[in-house]
Amino acid sequence: MMISIYKPFQMLSQFSPDGSQNATLKDLDLPTSVHPIGRLDADSEGLLLLTNKHGWEDKLLHPKRNHGKTYWAQVDGAVTPESVERLCRGVVIQGKPTKKCEACVIEPPDSLPERQPPVRFRKSVPTTWLEVTLYEGRNRQLRRMTAAIGHPSLRIVRTAIGKYRLPHWAPGSWRELQEQEKRQLTR
């Protein structure tokens, strides 16, 4: 069994509480036999996969497999082409360089549900939306990368793993994947 969910903002990628005020996957009434493949931090939202089969973690998450994970990131400030190029080449975070990635500026996505609570708004500071595909999965990697180029992340939404894209769902929605959708994950 493989399940795709739209993990909401301020929800942990685990079933048990950690002492914080964050919700857990248990709140989504998911089957009890599944576990998450990878993580999204509580401040990130979007595509999260769960399975009851072993081996998917290595198949999808090991850096040697080069499966891209795509995110939309709303960041502080007006991002320049030079900053995007720095992201693509890789930046140093936690003393180690990141792998090369794909990144570009995009229009604000109109298909995204409003975040609750909303991202702060400041008249004097613009925001930029980026689409970034990472080929490794370090802790809070995209947040650290955008901060390293001087544009802290305000909102991060994982939109795809491999060729499988998150449907236009409301946060908290989930369903079991079909076989052809599972094949999209490793392409």
Side-chain angles (χ1 to χ4, degrees):
M1 172 188 312
M2 174 86 61
I3 292 174
S4 169
I5 71 169
Y6 186 128
K7 186 194 86 61
F9 177 69
Q10 294 183 331
M11 176 175 276
L12 301 173
S13 294
Q14 60 193 45
F15 285 91
S16 55
D18 68 351
S20 69
Q21 296 297 317
N22 294 317
T24 69
L25 295 174
K26 186 177 181 181
D27 299 321
L28 297 180
D29 197 30
L30 292 156
T32 56
S33 62
V34 296
H35 62 276
I37 299 173
R39 305 182 84 69
L40 280 174
D41 62 48
D43 297 333
S44 298
E45 59 191 286
L47 177 59
L48 182 66
L49 298 172
L50 296 99
T51 188
N52 60 356
K53 303 258 191 259
H54 293 289
W56 276 101
E57 292 85 353
D58 182 64
K59 210 181 270 191
L60 294 177
L61 302 179
H62 197 286
K64 72 180 178 188
R65 306 266 190 219
N66 255 357
H67 293 303
K69 291 164 279 308
T70 303
Y71 302 83
W72 288 341
Q74 182 182 17
V75 299
D76 243 349
V79 177
T80 64
E82 294 79 21
S83 292
V84 172
E85 179 57 32
R86 280 185 62 205
L87 271 182
C88 290
R89 284 193 314 262
V91 296
V92 175
I93 60 172
Q94 298 179 297
K96 289 177 56 179
T98 60
K99 281 183 136 184
K100 291 180 180 180
C101 70
E102 298 166 27
C104 63
V105 173
I106 60 171
E107 291 296 316
D110 58 1
S111 61
L112 270 184
E114 289 295 318
R115 193 183 83 180
Q116 294 303 324
V119 171
R120 65 178 160 76
F121 174 76
R122 297 186 301 175
K123 282 186 190 180
S124 61
V125 180
T127 65
T128 303
W129 280 91
L130 300 171
E131 182 173 82
V132 181
T133 301
L134 301 178
Y135 295 95
E136 62 182 335
R138 291 162 56 182
N139 185 303
R140 298 180 69 86
Q141 181 175 345
L142 186 52
R143 287 185 192 289
R144 290 185 169 124
M145 289 175 73
T146 62
I149 64 164
H151 298 282
S153 294
L154 302 172
R155 184 179 185 187
I156 293 178
V157 182
R158 181 162 47 200
T159 59
I161 296 175
K163 299 285 184 203
Y164 177 75
R165 296 198 71 81
L166 179 69
H168 299 296
W169 289 346
S173 300
W174 64 272
R175 71 170 171 77
E176 190 170 344
L177 292 181
Q178 304 299 312
E179 286 305 315
Q180 73 273 14
E181 293 171 315
K182 290 180 196 176
R183 286 191 292 276
Q184 292 174 340
L185 293 169
T186 56
R187 290 187 187 159

